[in-house]
Amino acid sequence: MSSALDQVFVHLKGWLLSFIVGEPNWVVQIVSSLINIVALLAVFLTLFALISVLERKILARMQNRYGPNRVGPFGLFQPIADGIKMLIKEDIVPARADKVVHFLAPVILAAVAILTLGVIPYGRNMTPFRIDGGILFFFAVGSTTELAVFMAGWASNNKFSMLGAMRAIAQMFSYELPLIIAVLPVVMVVGSLMPDRIVAAQGEYTLGIVPRWFVFTPWGAATFLLFFVSGLVESNRTPFDVPEGESEIVAGHMTEYSGFKYATFFMAEYLGMFSVSGLAVTLFLGGWNAPAGVLEIIPSYVWFFLKLSALLFVYIWLRATLPRTRVDQMMNVAWKFMLPMAFTCIIAAAVWHYAGRGLRGWLWSLFVIVVVYAALSILLDTRRKFARRVYRFAE
């Protein structure tokens, strides 16, 4: 692979820093951080604008209707029109609301989402902020989301907002446990909390063709599914968009928001979706590594964003396909199924490791997961609880 093409953005940053050669080290570090921040915002705000119109077009195609097609060629300027509309809309704050907290809630939510994007490796030598405990930092900062949602619901001084915030916090706390526990098998197997080392551990190929990504192991596949579903809930995406149930509680914790504050909530949701999907790519799908050794001629950052785009497409696909779940069903799945399965994946990963990481370990790991899955299915009696409902009307 051409090193110049793969490292073009790294060389560009080095060229920009060459203008401040001779300055104190702290000045260089500040300028380097600012370059990383500007690049991160430019990439993901552009991706946010693009995905906002692509999602509507993909949903329209799946549901056999028209999507945005009026503003610009093929409706591609629709995000610009939406942004202008949100900017010029009146910002209404309830008279009895806590105005300071009401203002800070969407700002904190967006800031948290942007911070989590900073520790993900987007390509070879392309981690914006390389931290030894990068995975720990991701979840430590991401947990602030619950505080921002509660701030929005409480500061609005509205029963619907407060109810929506409580529902959001309940589901976020419930699904953060399997989300974090699903990361532990990868951290245990690699022996590091650095995202770069986790990607490097998946950089080998069997016979130079088949990648050794963790998703191709039994424990990795099960953990990836648990992580992906938990990420759906954390991002408040369909079918788990219970806090924003329009038919039940207007718009949840965002009921009393309008104008650009509402747009900030909308943007934070998408940035959170990008960060969770990016972490899933890093942990289970090989990060920026190519799917085959012969394909390493393609730049590493291209592979990362192709994998990220595939996961984002699945998010949209699920939104077009599935109805919203009930709150009790969602909480039952979290505590009674996903949490035990997450702990099972830790045991399965340990079995895979100590059995030699070969075929024998693969089979024993699969055996552990299948046994626990079958036992949970019997104990929870899923056929009865999720059977088709028969409605009877009074004569």
Side-chain angles (χ1 to χ4, degrees), residues 214-223 345 348 352 361-363 365-367 369:
F214 293 138
V215 75
F216 294 131
T217 61
W219 64 268
T223 308
C345 289
W352 176 81
W362 201 96
L363 293 174
S365 176
L366 179 63
F367 175 76
I369 291 172

Side-chain angles (χ1 to χ4, degrees), residues 7 52 72 81 83 112 119 124 129 171 176 195 215 233 248 263 312 323 377:
Q7 299 293 291
S52 66
V112 166
V119 296
R124 189 176 280 103
F129 300 99
Q171 78 171 43
E176 262 194 8
V215 75
V233 180
E248 306 162 24
L312 294 177
S377 299

Side-chain angles (χ1 to χ4, degrees), residues 45-59 68 75-80 82-83 237 266-267 270 273-274 316 319:
L45 290 182
T46 302
L47 184 59
F48 162 64
L50 187 62
I51 198 71
S52 66
V53 66
L54 284 179
E55 177 170 18
R56 293 163 70 181
K57 282 183 168 291
I58 294 170
L59 290 174
L76 293 178
F77 293 163
Q78 186 64 45
I80 299 175
D82 291 340
R237 295 285 300 184
F266 187 67
M267 180 185 70
Y270 275 86
M273 185 171 68
F274 298 156
I316 298 170
R319 180 180 178 184

